[in-house]
Amino acid sequence: MKRKFIIMAVISLMLVSCGGAGGASTTIDVTMTDFQFQPSQFTVPAGQEITFNSSNNGAVVHNFVIMKLGTSAGDFFDEEDIPNVYWEVELQPGGSTDTTFTAPTEPGEYDVICRTEGHIVSGMTAKLTVVPAE
Ligand SMILES: [Cu+2]
């Protein structure tokens, strides 16, 4: 009886660790519209290769731009923000992409924005949370 309990406890611990660090996923699925990212919260494990699947269902060009930790493009993305870009991808209207990138190695909250003019103020922002890899 006691042994059975221990086995169950071990199994549930294994299930918890397989679930990843707080729902972190190595896949990002995002739809871009005029002017939103859906969803707008992503959690990935640090330093891992992330599969990035996205489609642009809007009528204009959109971008998924991850800013470096501790940086923000503010209300408008301009020249001075370019060195602060960690990774980005651009999608034409109706376009889609299936690509990969390496998650930042430093855990934290990263700003995600669309750098097309006027889209940040239109609400095209998201959050990328990087958690320590298991
Ligand atoms: Cu946009």
Side-chain angles (χ1 to χ4, degrees):
M1 207 54 184
K2 192 174 182 189
R3 191 190 163 118
K4 200 170 185 179
F5 173 78
I6 292 169
I7 291 169
M8 289 300 288
V10 168
I11 289 171
S12 41
L13 272 175
M14 282 165 65
L15 287 174
V16 166
S17 53
C18 287
S25 172
T26 52
T27 302
I28 287 179
D29 288 301
V30 60
T31 301
M32 305 183 196
T33 61
D34 306 336
F35 305 92
Q36 270 189 328
F37 294 112
Q38 295 174 335
S40 60
Q41 302 253 18
F42 310 96
T43 303
V44 297
Q48 302 289 300
E49 185 173 76
I50 309 301
T51 301
F52 184 86
N53 300 316
S54 71
S55 55
N56 180 353
N57 291 351
V60 294
V61 172
H62 292 298
N63 306 266
F64 189 94
V65 182
I66 302 170
M67 302 301 292
K68 288 180 185 169
L69 189 62
T71 71
S72 161
D75 286 343
F76 298 95
F77 187 95
D78 49 35
E79 288 277 301
E80 67 191 24
D81 298 311
I82 293 170
N84 293 333
V85 171
Y86 174 78
W87 183 79
E88 67 179 310
V89 64
E90 179 182 283
L91 263 80
Q92 298 298 317
S96 63
T97 187
D98 182 357
T99 184
T100 62
F101 70 96
T102 304
T105 53
E106 210 175 338
E109 286 228 317
Y110 292 71
D111 272 3
V112 174
I113 55 124
C114 174
R115 64 185 280 180
T116 305
E117 203 176 336
H119 289 198
I120 295 175
V121 286
S122 301
M124 210 159 173
T125 61
K127 275 274 177 243
L128 176 74
T129 304
V130 175
V131 296
E134 304 261 309

